[in-house]
PDB file of all heavy atoms in Angstrom:
ATOM      1  N   TYR A 121     183.934 177.553  45.386  1.00 97.00           N
ATOM      2  CA  TYR A 121     185.108 178.295  44.880  1.00 97.00           C
ATOM      3  C   TYR A 121     185.609 177.725  43.553  1.00 97.00           C
ATOM      4  O   TYR A 121     185.639 178.412  42.526  1.00 97.00           O
ATOM      5  CB  TYR A 121     186.231 178.256  45.882  1.00 97.00           C
ATOM      6  CG  TYR A 121     187.430 179.138  45.528  1.00 97.00           C
ATOM      7  CD1 TYR A 121     187.581 180.331  46.121  1.00 97.00           C
ATOM      8  CD2 TYR A 121     188.397 178.727  44.662  1.00 97.00           C
ATOM      9  CE1 TYR A 121     188.682 181.182  45.915  1.00 97.00           C
ATOM     10  CE2 TYR A 121     189.521 179.442  44.380  1.00 97.00           C
ATOM     11  CZ  TYR A 121     189.584 180.752  44.965  1.00 97.00           C
ATOM     12  OH  TYR A 121     190.755 181.467  44.668  1.00 97.00           O
ATOM     13  N   VAL A 122     185.824 176.435  43.519  1.00 94.00           N
ATOM     14  CA  VAL A 122     186.388 175.812  42.263  1.00 94.00           C
ATOM     15  C   VAL A 122     185.243 175.688  41.224  1.00 94.00           C
ATOM     16  O   VAL A 122     185.543 175.668  40.025  1.00 94.00           O
ATOM     17  CB  VAL A 122     187.016 174.461  42.683  1.00 94.00           C
ATOM     18  CG1 VAL A 122     188.216 174.591  43.549  1.00 94.00           C
ATOM     19  CG2 VAL A 122     186.025 173.430  43.181  1.00 94.00           C
ATOM     20  N   SER A 123     184.041 175.535  41.562  1.00 96.00           N
ATOM     21  CA  SER A 123     183.021 175.355  40.636  1.00 96.00           C
ATOM     22  C   SER A 123     182.698 176.674  39.885  1.00 96.00           C
ATOM     23  O   SER A 123     182.415 176.673  38.724  1.00 96.00           O
ATOM     24  CB  SER A 123     181.679 174.809  41.279  1.00 96.00           C
ATOM     25  OG  SER A 123     181.907 173.494  41.762  1.00 96.00           O
ATOM     26  N   ALA A 124     182.694 177.783  40.654  1.00 96.00           N
ATOM     27  CA  ALA A 124     182.549 179.081  39.962  1.00 96.00           C
ATOM     28  C   ALA A 124     183.640 179.322  38.915  1.00 96.00           C
ATOM     29  O   ALA A 124     183.307 179.707  37.831  1.00 96.00           O
ATOM     30  CB  ALA A 124     182.579 180.233  41.075  1.00 96.00           C
ATOM     31  N   ARG A 125     184.847 178.982  39.214  1.00 93.00           N
ATOM     32  CA  ARG A 125     185.930 179.122  38.262  1.00 93.00           C
ATOM     33  C   ARG A 125     185.827 178.178  37.108  1.00 93.00           C
ATOM     34  O   ARG A 125     186.091 178.478  35.891  1.00 93.00           O
ATOM     35  CB  ARG A 125     187.249 179.097  38.962  1.00 93.00           C
ATOM     36  CG  ARG A 125     187.417 180.148  39.986  1.00 93.00           C
ATOM     37  CD  ARG A 125     188.883 180.228  40.364  1.00 93.00           C
ATOM     38  NE  ARG A 125     189.096 181.522  41.095  1.00 93.00           N
ATOM     39  CZ  ARG A 125     190.156 182.030  41.332  1.00 93.00           C
ATOM     40  NH1 ARG A 125     191.362 181.487  40.926  1.00 93.00           N
ATOM     41  NH2 ARG A 125     190.433 183.189  42.087  1.00 93.00           N
ATOM     42  N   GLY A 126     185.411 176.992  37.452  1.00 93.00           N
ATOM     43  CA  GLY A 126     185.298 175.896  36.478  1.00 93.00           C
ATOM     44  C   GLY A 126     184.215 176.256  35.402  1.00 93.00           C
ATOM     45  O   GLY A 126     184.385 176.098  34.209  1.00 93.00           O
ATOM     46  N   LEU A 127     183.105 176.667  35.935  1.00 95.00           N
ATOM     47  CA  LEU A 127     181.938 176.994  34.994  1.00 95.00           C
ATOM     48  C   LEU A 127     182.334 178.221  34.132  1.00 95.00           C
ATOM     49  O   LEU A 127     182.060 178.209  32.872  1.00 95.00           O
ATOM     50  CB  LEU A 127     180.696 177.313  35.862  1.00 95.00           C
ATOM     51  CG  LEU A 127     179.470 177.745  34.978  1.00 95.00           C
ATOM     52  CD1 LEU A 127     179.089 176.606  33.995  1.00 95.00           C
ATOM     53  CD2 LEU A 127     178.335 178.094  35.894  1.00 95.00           C
ATOM     54  N   ALA A 128     183.015 179.195  34.710  1.00 95.00           N
ATOM     55  CA  ALA A 128     183.496 180.258  33.921  1.00 95.00           C
ATOM     56  C   ALA A 128     184.368 179.898  32.767  1.00 95.00           C
ATOM     57  O   ALA A 128     184.281 180.370  31.597  1.00 95.00           O
ATOM     58  CB  ALA A 128     184.171 181.367  34.744  1.00 95.00           C
ATOM     59  N   ARG A 129     185.349 179.000  33.105  1.00 92.00           N
ATOM     60  CA  ARG A 129     186.289 178.526  32.012  1.00 92.00           C
ATOM     61  C   ARG A 129     185.614 177.658  31.003  1.00 92.00           C
ATOM     62  O   ARG A 129     185.896 177.809  29.825  1.00 92.00           O
ATOM     63  CB  ARG A 129     187.409 177.805  32.682  1.00 92.00           C
ATOM     64  CG  ARG A 129     188.527 177.437  31.643  1.00 92.00           C
ATOM     65  CD  ARG A 129     189.745 176.814  32.334  1.00 92.00           C
ATOM     66  NE  ARG A 129     190.680 176.356  31.280  1.00 92.00           N
ATOM     67  CZ  ARG A 129     191.564 177.133  30.698  1.00 92.00           C
ATOM     68  NH1 ARG A 129     191.582 178.399  31.107  1.00 92.00           N
ATOM     69  NH2 ARG A 129     192.392 176.630  29.788  1.00 92.00           N
ATOM     70  N   ALA A 130     184.662 176.841  31.425  1.00 95.00           N
ATOM     71  CA  ALA A 130     183.883 175.995  30.463  1.00 95.00           C
ATOM     72  C   ALA A 130     183.101 176.904  29.464  1.00 95.00           C
ATOM     73  O   ALA A 130     183.121 176.618  28.293  1.00 95.00           O
ATOM     74  CB  ALA A 130     182.942 175.133  31.247  1.00 95.00           C
ATOM     75  N   ARG A 131     182.589 178.016  29.989  1.00 94.00           N
ATOM     76  CA  ARG A 131     181.804 178.914  29.060  1.00 94.00           C
ATOM     77  C   ARG A 131     182.794 179.633  28.203  1.00 94.00           C
ATOM     78  O   ARG A 131     182.502 179.892  26.906  1.00 94.00           O
ATOM     79  CB  ARG A 131     181.068 179.902  29.901  1.00 94.00           C
ATOM     80  CG  ARG A 131     179.820 179.309  30.556  1.00 94.00           C
ATOM     81  CD  ARG A 131     179.180 180.268  31.508  1.00 94.00           C
ATOM     82  NE  ARG A 131     177.876 179.818  32.022  1.00 94.00           N
ATOM     83  CZ  ARG A 131     177.209 180.246  33.018  1.00 94.00           C
ATOM     84  NH1 ARG A 131     177.639 181.395  33.641  1.00 94.00           N
ATOM     85  NH2 ARG A 131     176.063 179.748  33.442  1.00 94.00           N
ATOM     86  N   GLU A 132     183.998 179.912  28.623  1.00 94.00           N
ATOM     87  CA  GLU A 132     185.027 180.586  27.767  1.00 94.00           C
ATOM     88  C   GLU A 132     185.382 179.624  26.668  1.00 94.00           C
ATOM     89  O   GLU A 132     185.723 180.074  25.475  1.00 94.00           O
ATOM     90  CB  GLU A 132     186.251 180.906  28.605  1.00 94.00           C
ATOM     91  CG  GLU A 132     186.006 182.134  29.562  1.00 94.00           C
ATOM     92  CD  GLU A 132     187.258 182.293  30.481  1.00 94.00           C
ATOM     93  OE1 GLU A 132     188.292 181.508  30.294  1.00 94.00           O
ATOM     94  OE2 GLU A 132     187.222 183.209  31.358  1.00 94.00           O
ATOM     95  N   ARG A 133     185.370 178.347  26.918  1.00 94.00           N
ATOM     96  CA  ARG A 133     185.759 177.319  25.858  1.00 94.00           C
ATOM     97  C   ARG A 133     184.624 177.061  24.841  1.00 94.00           C
ATOM     98  O   ARG A 133     184.732 176.316  23.904  1.00 94.00           O
ATOM     99  CB  ARG A 133     186.138 176.001  26.462  1.00 94.00           C
ATOM    100  CG  ARG A 133     187.474 176.047  27.291  1.00 94.00           C
ATOM    101  CD  ARG A 133     187.924 174.657  27.541  1.00 94.00           C
ATOM    102  NE  ARG A 133     186.845 173.832  28.120  1.00 94.00           N
ATOM    103  CZ  ARG A 133     186.640 173.634  29.420  1.00 94.00           C
ATOM    104  NH1 ARG A 133     187.390 174.254  30.301  1.00 94.00           N
ATOM    105  NH2 ARG A 133     185.719 172.862  29.897  1.00 94.00           N
ATOM    106  N   GLY A 134     183.421 177.643  25.153  1.00 94.00           N
ATOM    107  CA  GLY A 134     182.273 177.462  24.345  1.00 94.00           C
ATOM    108  C   GLY A 134     181.367 176.291  24.766  1.00 94.00           C
ATOM    109  O   GLY A 134     180.461 175.908  24.133  1.00 94.00           O
TER     110      GLY A 134
END
Side-chain angles (χ1 to χ4, degrees):
Y121 188 99
V122 297
S123 292
R125 295 196 169 194
L127 180 58
R129 184 172 177 87
R131 288 171 171 172
E132 289 174 2
R133 294 195 308 267

